[in-house]
């Protein structure tokens, strides 16, 4: 719960302090406010479920699923905003995802090795 609450509280306070310095040209439609509240609720719920998943299973089992976020973010950016990552962003996505996959495979391989005898202390 600490991972969920403190970043949320600190972010809310810091961004609230910045609001007076942001140029504002009138009230936003209530649909925008509803969208922001909905995004906050869904994001908080997703983060809470993410924390619960890491409490319930080993990191090596859950970590590969976090890379699905890259796919969904790219798809959402393309469908909602009409943007697609450029070559540098795609290169970064490939580096991040492939390093995660390689580390996961390595950790599973290392876990399958027989345990060595503890060193004798004289």
């Amino acid at each position: 719960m600490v991972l969920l609450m403190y970043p949320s509280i600190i972010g809310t306070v810091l961004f609230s302090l910045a609001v007076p310095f942001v140029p504002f040209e009138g009230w936003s439609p209530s649909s925008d406010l509803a969208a922001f509240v909905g995004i906050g609720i869904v994001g908080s719920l997703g983060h809470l479920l993410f924390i619960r998943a890491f409490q319930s299973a080993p990191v090596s089992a859950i970590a590969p699923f976090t890379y699905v976020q890259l796919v969904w973010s790219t798809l959402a950016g393309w469908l909602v905003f009409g943007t697609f990552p450029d070559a540098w962003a795609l290169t970064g996505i490939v580096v991040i995802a492939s390093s995660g996959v390689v580390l996961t495979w390595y950790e599973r391989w290392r876990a399958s090795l027989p345990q060595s005898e503890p060193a004798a202390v004289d």
Side-chain angles (χ1 to χ4, degrees):
M1 291 308 284
V2 170
L3 289 173
L4 185 62
M5 293 305 296
Y6 285 151
S8 299
I9 291 170
I10 291 170
T12 300
V13 169
L14 290 178
F15 283 113
S16 295
L17 291 173
V19 167
F21 303 104
V22 176
F24 186 66
E25 299 190 21
W27 292 100
S28 295
S30 58
S31 60
D32 287 352
L33 181 61
F36 288 139
V37 170
I39 289 169
I41 290 170
V42 170
S44 296
L45 180 62
H47 198 76
L48 177 65
L49 292 173
F50 195 60
I51 292 168
R52 297 291 297 168
F54 277 108
Q55 290 173 342
S56 302
V59 174
S60 63
I62 297 172
F65 292 103
T66 61
Y67 297 107
V68 175
Q69 293 173 352
L70 293 170
V71 174
W72 285 113
S73 298
T74 302
L75 185 63
W78 178 55
L79 292 175
V80 175
F81 302 108
T83 61
F84 195 78
D86 62 1
W88 286 108
L90 288 173
T91 303
I93 289 170
V94 168
V95 168
I96 291 168
S98 60
S99 66
V101 169
V102 168
L103 284 173
T104 301
W105 283 337
Y106 173 75
E107 288 299 324
R108 288 188 182 194
W109 171 77
R110 197 174 76 162
S112 69
L113 294 176
Q115 297 293 325
S116 62
E117 294 294 322
V121 179
D122 292 326

